[in-house]
Every structure is written in C-alpha cells, then in structure tokens.
Amino acid sequence: MRLIFLGPPGAGKGTQAKLLTERYGIPQLSTGDMLRTAVAQATEVGKRAKAVMDAGQLVSDEIVNEIVSDRIDAPDCAKGFILDGYPRTVPQAVALDRMLEEKGLKLDAVIELKVDETALVRRMENRVTETVAAGGTVRSDDNPEAFRRRLQEYREKTAPLSEHYARTGRLKTVDGMADVHTVTAEIEKILA
Ligand code: ADP
C-alpha cells in the first residue's frame, strides 16, 4: 500500500499516518521528521535546512526529492509506505511520479484532509501547550509567526497539488474536522 497525505500544517496528517502504520505494517515517511533529524545531527542537509524550516518556509525540492528517493529504497518500504508532508510542491509531485515509475512502483491513494484555517492555529497552540505540559521540547517552527508563514506556503505551493492529483483521478478527500477516530474510519473506507 502506497499512500500520500495532503493537507495544511496541523490537519492531522501525522496522527492519521501513525495509526495506519500500525494497521498496515508499513512505515510513515515524514519529510518533516527526517529533516528535523538531519538538523539535530547537524548533517550537511540539516545545516542547509535549519534556518529555512525555522522561518516556516519550504526546503528546496532538490533536497527533499533526494531524501525521499533514498528512503523508499530501504527494505522496510518493500510492502509500501505512507508519505506525510511530501510532496509539497507541484515539482515535487512530478518528481515523485517519475521516481515511482523508475522504481516500477504505483500509488494506491492520495488522501486530502480538509480543515478550517481557524482550527489550524488553535491545533498548533494546543500542540504547544500539551508538549510543554508533558515536559517536551516545542518545535522551533511552532510559534505564531512561523506558523502563519507555513500556512502561506501551503496556500501558495501545496494547495495546487490537489488539482494535480484530481486531474488524474487519484484524489480522495476526507473531512479532517471530525474527531480522530472518525477520520481514521473514513480513510479506511477509502482504502478498503
Ligand atoms: P507540518 O506540521 O507543517 O505539516 P512538517 O513536520 O511536515 O510540518 O514540516 C516542517 C518543515 O519541514 C516545513 O515547514 C518545511 O520547512 C520542511 N519540509 C518538510 N517537508 C518538506 C517538503 N516536502 N518540501 C519542502 N520542505 C519540507
């Protein structure tokens, strides 16, 4: 099973991807997580990505395309994978189509989570409050200014992807405002 999750920051892509990972025994590939790991380890990619990420802007297509292409060659992706946070631009989607074709792989579904923008800011603030309460470290891009920028990047660069996938009949839309379990049930209906 090869899936893509689309939706704005805070839509719940990561939450749903994690739940499906357990159900289908396939890994969640979050480019955000991979980049944060690269930053934490201060790799070459991490050094190039840090300031861009902190400002809420997108890392270059070239960097993320390469990270994803390498990652899906790993043995744990043999049965499939869930992409969370990639592709995020039309050129990334085109690169992904090409990459999968070269590897002889096909996408099973592209699932978009639809959420009101006002709810997104509230979700980000809740995530910060919960993280602090749990004694965790707040993401350096989970602050109002960077979040506004992330939403703007989404509107300008990522929202057009829905059209890219709809044109080829691959897009399925789910109401991301429903509670977590209802959203999961809707996604499972699509995948059944
Ligand atoms: P969100 O919670 O906004 O969905 P992510 O954890 O997916 O955030 O990503 C955090 C940051 O990592 C993004 O704001 C961006 O700087 C960078 N990033 C992640 N995925 C991509 C991508 N596919 N293309 C470019 N930048 C990316």
Side-chain angles (χ1 to χ4, degrees):
M1 173 98 60
R2 291 179 207 90
L3 296 182
I4 293 181
F5 271 116
L6 294 182
K13 301 183 296 287
T15 304
Q16 294 301 327
K18 268 192 198 91
L19 292 168
L20 292 175
T21 280
E22 286 156 28
R23 199 130 332 167
Y24 295 99
I26 52 177
Q28 169 198 11
L29 311 186
S30 157
T31 41
D33 286 348
M34 294 186 233
L35 290 167
R36 280 186 287 277
T37 303
V39 170
Q41 295 175 344
T43 63
E44 272 318 301
V45 162
K47 281 182 212 157
R48 280 160 69 191
K50 183 172 182 353
V52 179
M53 290 173 75
D54 284 349
Q57 291 171 282
L58 294 183
V59 173
S60 77
D61 291 338
E62 186 203 346
I63 289 184
V64 289
N65 289 339
E66 194 177 326
I67 291 181
V68 170
S69 178
D70 287 347
R71 182 65 186 87
I72 62 184
D73 288 336
D76 65 330
C77 292
K79 280 203 301 174
F81 48 77
I82 304 168
L83 284 169
D84 155 22
Y86 178 93
R88 238 178 173 96
T89 65
V90 172
Q92 286 179 23
V94 172
L96 177 64
D97 284 341
R98 196 177 322 122
M99 184 188 306
L100 292 176
E101 201 185 310
E102 278 169 13
K103 296 179 199 284
L105 304 174
K106 272 205 158 39
L107 280 180
D108 293 290
V110 180
I111 297 173
E112 177 178 41
L113 297 178
K114 282 257 190 219
V115 184
D116 296 346
E117 276 208 11
T118 45
L120 297 176
V121 177
R122 216 166 40 237
R123 285 184 184 188
M124 182 274 293
E125 287 166 350
N126 288 344
R127 176 156 78 186
V128 170
T129 311
E130 284 165 16
T131 304
V132 170
T137 311
V138 174
R139 272 170 52 170
S140 51
D141 61 348
D142 268 352
N143 59 73
E145 199 190 330
F147 195 79
R148 251 195 314 276
R149 189 61 204 255
R150 281 156 64 197
L151 278 177
Q152 190 189 337
E153 291 278 77
Y154 172 79
R155 272 185 237 116
E156 286 172 13
K157 297 175 183 160
T158 312
L161 284 186
S162 305
E163 190 43 44
H164 174 85
Y165 288 113
R167 250 198 322 269
T168 41
R170 292 180 286 179
L171 186 72
K172 308 279 183 222
T173 302
V174 170
D175 175 13
M177 295 301 288
D179 66 81
V180 173
H181 297 289
T182 308
V183 175
T184 310
E186 287 301 311
I187 294 171
E188 286 183 333
K189 250 190 254 167
I190 290 171
L191 300 179

